[in-house]
Amino acid sequence: MALEAIDALLELGVDGIEVNSLVMNASTVPKNIEWLSTWIKGHAQLYSRKHMEASKTFQSINNKTKFHQNENLITLIGKCFYYYGNSTQAQHYLETAVMLNPYNWEAIMPLAVVFEYNQKLQELEKLTAQLTNIHEFTSGHWFVLAQSFYANGKLDKAASFANKALSVNPRNVEAQLLRGKICLQIRRHKDAIYFFRSAQCIANYRFEVYKGLFHCYVGMKRAKEAQTMCALTVRYFRESPRSLVMFARTLVNSSHPNAKKSAKKVVAKALEIDEHYAPAVALMAELCHSEGETQEAIALLKKQVIIYPHYKLFTMLGDILAQEKDLNAALEYYTTALSNEPTYQRALDGVNALGKAQWSSNTKNEQDTSMTSSANQDDEWPIECDEPSVEAVELSSPAVQNDDDESDTFSDPFWQDVNAELTN
């Protein structure tokens, strides 16, 4: 019953069957302990990066035992969804856990990140206000403050408070990842690598570690390391739509025509795993639109915004409809996007382009240029919480020679090998 020791062994990579055997053969097993084997199985799945399977295992304990709505169990389910990338379900369970215990830091810290992912900035502010009305700050307190400033674009303050969180607890993984993201945004790639590697030493089962390192290498033009990290991510997270979308984006940005053709198959596989995963939907719509399947792209996005009303998806719909000359519908979606994010420049540009198109007496070609101006300013549609930044486009240019005489693009064997693994 030394649950912390069991958890630590599993986190260190000891096989779940071995740990279960060790526990069950250690002494006389008490009665009504059947749940323990399931609990061990869930942790083994979590640390082996099978996060969705782990969530189902923990949910079975929640549904079938007297631990129903147990604070620690609800936290574990929420963290599984959080690690998997399902921020909607993660928010539901983590909020429940915090309601059961307002000082449950295992739930509070990921909940702060999820609030930012889900654009719930008012809820994040309320959470921050509730936790800062005390005299003595823990590492968790400093992290929530850092996350709040990061969500509001105040990177200097976010970095300062994240550093304070790490000074109190150097093993605070969320703070390590946040510092890495901040350094990545301000293009301090070497510092970002340090923080992501530090997080990897503590929690090598976190997708964000590999995603962050991939973008660091992309930003530093270190194509070989970026290839290796992308391939490693897909192999580690084979059943994760996040890793598949990241791989598909590299294929889209490749200069090789066969690689681009494979991208759609990879995105389709991601949608098979989770048909409502927003970055996969956005990328599939982008690919359909580029191939002339405009109505399929529009239908896909309209279905998605009902479930996941993200301002970037509304803007994407506005851009496509503007190009299809459906100006009223385009204006409606731009307006909806701005009601969610009033400062989003792409939606503002789209509205301005529509105004010029309606009032101008220019030629048809000039109108076409006007209406598509907002669509052409950026080639991809990253959804902020999971999708690679536009920095990934740097690998998509025609092959040029760097100082170390490496190609700027992903090599053929890289995407062919990974694609073959996914097919098999």
Side-chain angles (χ1 to χ4, degrees), residues 58 81 245 248 265 288 338 348 355 369:
F58 289 128
F81 281 117
V245 170
K265 295 179 182 178
C288 288
L338 290 171
L348 292 170
T369 302

XYZ file of all heavy atoms in Angstrom, residues 58 81 245 248 265 288 338 348 355 369:
76
model
N -8.612 4.731 -15.234
C -8.959 5.436 -14.001
C -10.472 5.680 -13.906
O -11.045 5.651 -12.804
C -8.204 6.766 -13.913
C -6.724 6.620 -13.666
C -5.794 7.246 -14.484
C -6.266 5.842 -12.615
C -4.439 7.107 -14.259
C -4.898 5.697 -12.377
C -3.983 6.325 -13.203
N -6.394 13.483 -19.586
C -6.954 14.234 -20.716
C -6.063 15.427 -21.065
O -5.889 15.771 -22.245
C -8.372 14.712 -20.383
C -9.424 13.653 -20.530
C -10.155 13.224 -19.442
C -9.684 13.081 -21.767
C -11.131 12.241 -19.572
C -10.659 12.100 -21.917
C -11.385 11.673 -20.811
N -0.617 15.490 -36.367
C -0.795 16.805 -36.989
C 0.548 17.516 -37.115
O 0.831 18.170 -38.124
C -1.806 17.656 -36.194
C -1.814 19.103 -36.688
C -3.208 17.065 -36.326
N 2.171 15.916 -40.023
C 1.500 16.317 -41.262
C 1.883 17.733 -41.668
O 2.061 18.023 -42.855
C -0.017 16.215 -41.097
N -3.330 12.028 -45.810
C -3.559 10.721 -45.208
C -3.241 10.740 -43.711
O -3.946 10.120 -42.913
C -2.683 9.672 -45.906
C -3.025 9.441 -47.373
C -2.088 8.416 -47.988
C -2.385 8.215 -49.476
N -1.439 7.259 -50.099
N -8.050 20.598 -48.039
C -9.192 20.474 -48.959
C -9.348 21.736 -49.802
O -9.554 21.676 -51.018
C -10.477 20.208 -48.174
S -10.594 18.552 -47.464
N -14.328 38.150 -33.998
C -13.933 39.350 -33.252
C -14.686 39.478 -31.939
O -14.188 40.095 -30.993
C -14.162 40.594 -34.118
C -13.201 40.717 -35.313
C -13.643 41.842 -36.245
C -11.781 40.962 -34.826
N -9.764 41.292 -38.390
C -9.925 42.730 -38.675
C -9.574 43.026 -40.127
O -10.284 43.785 -40.807
C -9.030 43.546 -37.730
C -9.415 43.541 -36.248
C -8.300 44.171 -35.404
C -10.721 44.306 -36.027
N -15.090 45.336 -46.798
C -15.582 46.694 -47.016
C -15.078 47.271 -48.329
O -15.834 47.891 -49.082
N -8.354 40.311 -55.592
C -7.160 40.550 -54.782
C -7.530 41.094 -53.424
O -6.985 40.712 -52.391
C -6.224 41.543 -55.507
O -5.897 41.006 -56.776
C -4.959 41.762 -54.694
